[in-house]
């Protein structure tokens, strides 16, 4: 126990110990997804006489499942292969966009963003009969059903839509 090194990891999928640079042994830890992201990082701790480095080199990876080290015959340098599984956000909490037209047409920066969770459908109508269009955002939380926030009804008004001006309907996996 006197010669052990402690290090933090999250959802470790694979651990590899290899000589990557000369005589220096490194510990490579592939980390899987979190409850929010498939895209995480693989940790590379360099070893030395005092143990592992305090801070790892953080290599972007995507729900990594394996780390492999290869050397060309006669070559001094090594190659590190990280096997990725899937990338991006896991929860599906990606905003829906309302693009606002203008005299010069539509512009990417001229939009309203409304939170949604893997929304498979939406409807626009005046649900409260106040003369302003409202947006019903149907959420199914497809990849994270345990986090399903329900269906959102965004109330429109004279100033348009606002993400915090909504009614949450208690639905589960709505389509």
């Amino acid at each position: 126990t006197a010669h052990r090194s402690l290090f933090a990891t999250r959802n470790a999928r694979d651990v590899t110990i290899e000589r990557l640079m000369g005589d220096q042994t490194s510990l490579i830890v592939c980390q899987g997804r979190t409850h929010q992201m498939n895209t995480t990082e693989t940790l590379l701790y360099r070893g030395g006489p005092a143990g592992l480095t305090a801070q790892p080199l953080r290599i972007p990876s995507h729900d990594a499942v394996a780390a492999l080290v290869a050397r060309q015959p006669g070559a001094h340098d090594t190659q590190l292969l990280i096997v990725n599984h899937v990338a991006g956000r896991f929860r599906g909490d990606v905003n829906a966009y309302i693009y606002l037209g203008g005299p010069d047409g539509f512009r990417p920066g001229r939009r309203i963003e409304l939170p949604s969770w893997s929304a498979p459908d939406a409807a626009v109508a005046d649900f409260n009969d106040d003369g302003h269009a409202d947006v019903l955002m149907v959420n199914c939380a497809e990849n994270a059903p345990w986090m399903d926030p329900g269906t959102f009804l965004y109330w429109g008004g004279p100033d348009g839509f606002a993400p915090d001006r909504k009614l949450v309907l208690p639905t589960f996996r709505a389509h």
Side-chain angles (χ1 to χ4, degrees):
T1 58
H3 298 289
R4 69 181 176 176
S5 295
L6 299 176
F7 60 94
T9 184
R10 169 176 256 155
N11 198 12
R13 292 276 185 82
D14 188 35
V15 176
T16 304
I17 299 172
E18 285 282 345
R19 289 189 180 174
L20 293 180
M21 298 174 210
D23 292 334
Q24 200 172 45
T25 301
S26 296
L27 175 74
I28 306 153
V29 181
C30 288
Q31 298 186 117
R33 66 174 175 82
T34 68
H35 284 297
Q36 297 177 11
M37 297 291 291
N38 289 310
T39 297
T40 58
E41 56 196 11
T42 292
L43 308 175
L44 192 152
Y45 288 93
R46 288 188 173 167
L52 298 177
T53 53
Q55 293 299 318
L57 172 63
R58 297 174 182 277
I59 303 168
S61 56
H62 308 281
D63 195 24
V65 295
L68 306 170
V69 176
R71 249 177 228 92
Q72 295 290 339
H76 177 44
D77 293 332
T78 57
Q79 291 83 39
L80 174 61
L81 169 64
I82 297 174
V83 181
N84 292 313
H85 179 64
V86 65
R89 295 186 67 77
F90 180 74
R91 297 187 317 182
D93 55 333
V94 178
N95 290 345
Y97 300 150
I98 299 174
Y99 287 94
L100 305 173
D104 58 344
F106 293 95
R107 297 282 179 241
R110 195 170 47 222
R111 69 181 184 210
I112 299 169
E113 296 189 25
L114 297 177
S116 60
W117 282 62
S118 298
D121 205 356
V124 176
D126 185 359
F127 288 97
N128 59 356
D129 203 24
D130 68 353
H132 301 285
D134 307 307
V135 175
L136 179 70
M137 190 67 60
V138 180
N139 298 308
C140 75
E142 182 175 0
N143 290 332
W146 64 91
M147 300 177 86
D148 192 326
T151 292
F152 302 153
L153 178 55
Y154 291 100
W155 300 115
D159 58 341
F161 299 98
D164 58 345
R165 200 170 56 225
K166 70 180 179 217
L167 170 68
V168 178
L169 303 169
T171 59
F172 181 72
R173 304 288 319 262
H175 280 73

